[in-house]
């Protein structure tokens, strides 16, 4: 295989000897470049020493940029699941069925090839370790979207970062230590196992997303630290939250360093493309280069992210690309670097490889669109039109302080027209228009989870938090109340059903029933299990999300299920004072 890098080197007149070295390295399939794609969660553009933040030190992340290429204008989406969908497919999330960050709205439509599927078809071993956030149940699960191995969680956020309940290829398992470290351990192990074959490792870490938990080693550096660089409106900044976020980023940096060192030890540096970015802007008001906006908004500070690529001896060190790029460009660019074409792959993004090797190459101005919660902005090379159709010169006014729409009405009007065209071309789904059921029993996969996040409840049953991800149901005090899931069962058969529950002392003997149409199963919960809420003992600042508990698995037995769309309803036949708190149902198909 002749990688495209050889072609670029020819096109741009770089050293022939370097081209020969690349060609020599790629004589066999085993010589094709590996990819390690690392993504932080809720880290802002300004949360790196590379971008001038003296509050922290991130030498290992910075080294990817210094020894490779950095993009000065790279834009993702305002929140997690849209960016991930774009990164994986090269297409805008609004055409992929993604419209929310929980309760099914985070699911990425099937039938659109992911970069993992494409690379797998070209002989790569593929793995994802971390926060998936594009669908939990197959065919939305990462194992059904091209990843040979998945370890982490599919939800939008997690409630405990120290040895939490996770999943490994659909099976529920217990994590080992601090989550970001655990995920990195898994990535390193995968690299070690597949060092002699091309691999794609996707490492979407869960930090610095809240809850703000970080090991003492990192927290002790920041808990009393004076912050020399602060948000432009300092009265809005929660300095303890900032300290926790920066401590978490330094932990990320240490893990990036571990991966870099492992690649070096294995002799894989020259044959591995390493990519680093974040999925959206910062999750709090803190120093971000004076940019306006944080996570959830569509302004520059909410969608501008670091984007670094290193490929030792192939990409010149210290290259800076000023041309606009975005999350929709990641898959086309990586496929371009690998000289891989796929007839089924269609993208909204472009291949940025030419500017990686020649930053001053000809460039046609383009528009990158940002959208969330009914707000849409767009970015050209020079201008940003915000969600209220105010116009800003981003070259001379990166903080979006001066609206120049009245001075440049023709530019403003043309961009407003382009915004309308884009929204018309890619009308996003909403909670009201999304009628997709949750899926169960995919023929190719053994396990399916139905978490409380994806369910609804009747009567007095309460969700443990208003943010559905990682929640559980509680206050089940009446037999007339129930919990239900909108489910389409994909394969008829027998399934082992496990309930993850807690129940307080004095309430053993609760009789619970699960119903799917005419199919029912009953069990009596005889074991009391009433652990305390957890999480607060590790939180550096008070959280917004649900606290968690150590839920216990209860084998409900085997249940025969029919195919088709029918709700799954969990009911109580008999209780004393209160029924169980419910975290999830796990289904295992019995062959």
């Amino acid at each position: 295989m002749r990688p495209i890098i050889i072609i670029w080197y020819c096109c741009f007149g770089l050293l022939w000897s370097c081209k020969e070295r690349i060609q020599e390295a790629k004589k066999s399939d085993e010589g094709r470049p590996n990819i390690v794609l690392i993504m932080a969660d809720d880290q802002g553009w300004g949360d790196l020493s590379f971008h001038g933040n003296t509050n922290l030190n991130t030498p290992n992340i910075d080294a990817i940029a210094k020894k490779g290429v950095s993009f000065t204008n790279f834009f993702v989406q305002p929140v997690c699941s849209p960016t991930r969908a774009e990164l994986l497919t090269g297409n805008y999330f609004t055409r992929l069925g993604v419209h929310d960050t929980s309760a099914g709205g985070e699911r990425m439509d099937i039938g659109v090839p992911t970069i993992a599927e494409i690379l797998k078809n070209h002989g790569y071993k593929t793995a994802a370790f971390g926060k998936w956030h594009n669908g939990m149940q197959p065919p939305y699960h990462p194992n059904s979207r091209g990843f040979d191995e998945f370890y982490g969680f599919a939800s939008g956020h997690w409630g405990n970062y120290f040895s939490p309940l996770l999943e490994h290829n659909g099976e529920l398992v217990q994590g080992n230590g601090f989550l970001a470290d655990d995920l990195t351990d898994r990535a390193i192990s995968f690299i070690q196992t597949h060092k002699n074959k091309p691999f794609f490792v996707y490492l979407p870490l869960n930090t610095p997303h809240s809850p703000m938990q970080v090991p003492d080693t990192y927290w002790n550096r920041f808990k009393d630290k004076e912050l020399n660089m602060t948000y432009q409106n300092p009265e809005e900044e929660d300095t303890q939250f900032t300290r926790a976020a920066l401590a978490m980023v330094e932990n990320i940096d240490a893990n990036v360093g571990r991966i870099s060192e492992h690649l070096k030890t294995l002799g894989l540096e020259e044959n591995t493309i390493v990519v680093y970015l974040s999925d959206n802007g910062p999750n709090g008001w803190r120093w971000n280069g004076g940019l306006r906006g944080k996570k959830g908004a569509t302004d520059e500070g909410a969608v501008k992210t670091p984007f670094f690529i290193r490929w030792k001896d192939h990409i010149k060190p210290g290259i800076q690309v000023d041309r606009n790029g975005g999350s929709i460009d990641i898959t086309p660019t990586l496929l371009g670097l690998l000289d891989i074409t796929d007839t089924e792959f269609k993208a909204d993004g472009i291949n940025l490889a030419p500017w990686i090797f020649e930053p001053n190459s000809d460039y046609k101005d383009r528009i990158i669109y940002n959208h969330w919660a009914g707000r849409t902005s767009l970015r050209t090379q020079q201008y940003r039109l915000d969600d209220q159709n105010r116009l800003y010169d981003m070259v001379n006014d990166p903080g979006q302080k001066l609206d120049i729409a009245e001075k440049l009405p023709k530019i403003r009007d043309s961009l407003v027209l382009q915004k309308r065209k884009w929204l018309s071309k890619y009308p996003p789904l909403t909670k009201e228009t999304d009628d997709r059921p949750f899926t169960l029993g995919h023929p190719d996969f053994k396990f399916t989870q139905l978490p409380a996040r994806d369910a609804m409840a009747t009567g007095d049953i309460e969700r443990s938090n208003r943010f559905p991800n990682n929640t559980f149901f509680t206050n089940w005090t009446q037999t007339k109340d129930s919990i239900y899931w909108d489910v389409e069962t994909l394969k008829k058969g027998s399934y082992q059903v496990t309930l993850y529950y807690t129940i307080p002392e004095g309430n053993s003997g609760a009789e619970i029933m699960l119903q799917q149409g005419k199919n029912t199963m009953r069990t009596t919960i005889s074991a009391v299990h009433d652990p305390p809420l957890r999480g607060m003992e590790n939180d550096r600042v008070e959280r917004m999300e649900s606290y968690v508990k150590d839920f216990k698995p209860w084998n409900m037995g085997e249940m025969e299920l029919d195919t088709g769309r029918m709700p799954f309803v969990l009911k109580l036949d008999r209780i004393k004072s209160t029924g169980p708190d419910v975290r999830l149902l796990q289904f295992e198909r019995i062959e």
Side-chain angles (χ1 to χ4, degrees), residues 163-235:
S163 300
L165 182 70
L166 300 172
E167 63 161 292
H168 184 209
N169 297 335
E171 189 169 7
L172 294 168
V173 296
Q174 203 71 35
N176 181 28
F178 186 62
L179 185 49
D181 299 341
D182 188 16
L183 299 172
T184 303
D185 287 343
R186 293 278 181 154
I188 289 173
S189 177
F190 186 88
I191 291 169
Q192 174 70 38
T193 300
H194 299 286
K195 61 185 177 183
N196 296 322
K197 297 180 180 179
F199 57 77
F200 171 48
V201 171
Y202 175 40
L203 184 60
L205 296 170
N206 58 298
T207 50
H209 195 297
S210 55
M212 309 307 286
Q213 297 183 344
V214 64
D216 289 342
T217 301
Y218 300 93
W219 175 242
N220 289 339
R221 301 176 191 172
F222 285 91
K223 64 179 181 179
D224 300 314
K225 185 173 185 176
E226 181 179 353
L227 300 178
N228 296 317
M229 306 185 75
T230 58
Y231 179 58
Q232 53 262 38
N233 300 318
E235 68 280 1

Side-chain angles (χ1 to χ4, degrees), residues 96-149:
L96 297 170
V98 177
H99 62 87
D100 206 336
T101 57
S102 65
E106 78 284 0
R107 289 176 292 176
M108 181 172 60
D109 280 344
I110 59 175
V112 179
T114 68
I115 184 172
E117 290 173 296
I118 295 169
L119 293 180
K120 188 173 180 178
N121 289 338
H122 285 80
Y124 278 72
K125 299 299 293 183
T126 60
F129 304 104
K131 169 179 163 177
W132 172 246
H133 206 188
N134 282 131
M136 176 176 286
Q137 300 86 6
Y140 302 100
H141 189 275
N143 287 138
S144 53
R145 303 308 298 266
F147 288 98
D148 297 312
E149 185 165 352

Side-chain angles (χ1 to χ4, degrees), residues 484-541:
Y484 64 94
W485 291 261
D486 180 11
V487 173
E488 180 178 3
T489 303
L490 303 178
K491 184 172 182 179
K492 179 182 175 69
S494 182
Y495 291 78
Q496 181 73 41
V497 184
T498 303
L499 170 71
Y500 279 73
Y501 80 102
T502 66
I503 197 166
E505 194 73 37
N507 286 278
S508 62
E511 296 179 4
I512 194 165
M513 178 180 73
L514 180 63
Q515 183 175 22
Q516 181 222 32
K518 297 179 180 179
N519 302 317
T520 61
M521 70 179 310
R522 286 179 168 84
T523 187
T524 300
I525 301 176
S526 58
V528 168
H529 178 62
D530 191 21
L533 288 173
R534 291 185 56 199
M536 64 288 290
E537 72 279 7
N538 291 317
D539 289 355
R540 304 303 181 177
V541 295

Side-chain angles (χ1 to χ4, degrees), residues 165-415:
L165 182 70
L166 300 172
E167 63 161 292
H168 184 209
N169 297 335
E171 189 169 7
L172 294 168
V173 296
Q174 203 71 35
N176 181 28
F178 186 62
L179 185 49
D181 299 341
D182 188 16
L183 299 172
T184 303
D185 287 343
R186 293 278 181 154
I188 289 173
S189 177
F190 186 88
I191 291 169
Q192 174 70 38
T193 300
H194 299 286
K195 61 185 177 183
N196 296 322
K197 297 180 180 179
F199 57 77
F200 171 48
V201 171
Y202 175 40
L203 184 60
L205 296 170
N206 58 298
T207 50
H209 195 297
S210 55
M212 309 307 286
Q213 297 183 344
V214 64
D216 289 342
T217 301
Y218 300 93
W219 175 242
N220 289 339
R221 301 176 191 172
F222 285 91
K223 64 179 181 179
D224 300 314
K225 185 173 185 176
E226 181 179 353
L227 300 178
N228 296 317
M229 306 185 75
T230 58
Y231 179 58
Q232 53 262 38
N233 300 318
E235 68 280 1
E236 297 183 42
E237 181 169 359
D238 180 342
T239 53
Q240 284 298 92
F241 191 98
T242 296
R243 290 184 177 102
L246 299 182
M248 295 162 94
V249 173
E250 285 204 356
N251 170 263
I252 293 174
D253 186 77
N255 282 310
V256 169
R258 290 205 292 139
I259 291 173
S260 298
E261 185 62 30
H262 194 69
L263 292 172
K264 182 178 180 180
T265 300
L266 293 176
L268 295 176
E269 278 187 303
E270 295 180 15
N271 203 37
T272 303
I273 299 168
V274 179
V275 181
Y276 185 87
L277 77 157
S278 180
D279 63 350
N280 46 248
N283 52 353
W285 297 119
R286 54 184 181 265
W287 186 84
N288 198 27
L291 302 178
R292 190 173 86 183
K294 63 175 181 176
K295 175 183 178 178
T298 56
D299 292 309
E300 191 89 347
V303 297
K304 185 174 182 177
T305 179
F307 185 64
F308 308 149
I309 304 177
R310 185 191 179 200
W311 189 7
K312 186 180 178 183
D313 293 345
H314 301 284
I315 295 174
K316 284 184 176 180
I319 293 287
Q320 286 194 337
V321 177
D322 293 327
R323 308 304 189 189
N324 282 0
S327 44
I328 55 173
D329 301 328
I330 294 174
T331 287
T333 299
L334 291 175
L335 295 181
L337 289 171
L338 301 175
D339 192 22
I340 287 177
T341 57
D342 190 291
T343 56
E344 294 184 4
F345 177 66
K346 309 294 181 184
D348 294 320
I350 63 173
N351 175 13
L352 299 172
W355 298 279
I356 291 174
F357 295 105
E358 269 300 324
N360 296 319
S361 300
D362 290 341
Y363 179 85
K364 184 179 179 180
D365 199 5
R366 63 193 291 228
I367 295 174
I368 293 179
Y369 296 88
N370 297 111
H371 175 85
W372 190 244
R375 301 183 301 272
T376 306
S377 72
L378 57 85
R379 182 68 147 81
T380 69
Q381 191 65 41
Q382 183 167 1
Y383 300 105
R384 180 171 290 281
L385 184 78
D386 77 0
D387 65 290
Q388 297 182 44
N389 293 336
R390 294 173 295 198
L391 184 67
Y392 300 94
D393 182 342
M394 302 306 296
V395 175
N396 298 301
D397 180 25
Q400 294 176 254
K401 296 178 180 179
L402 180 63
D403 178 10
I404 58 173
E406 291 187 4
K407 293 182 179 180
L408 299 173
K410 290 185 178 179
I411 293 176
R412 188 270 315 278
D413 291 348
S414 67
L415 294 179

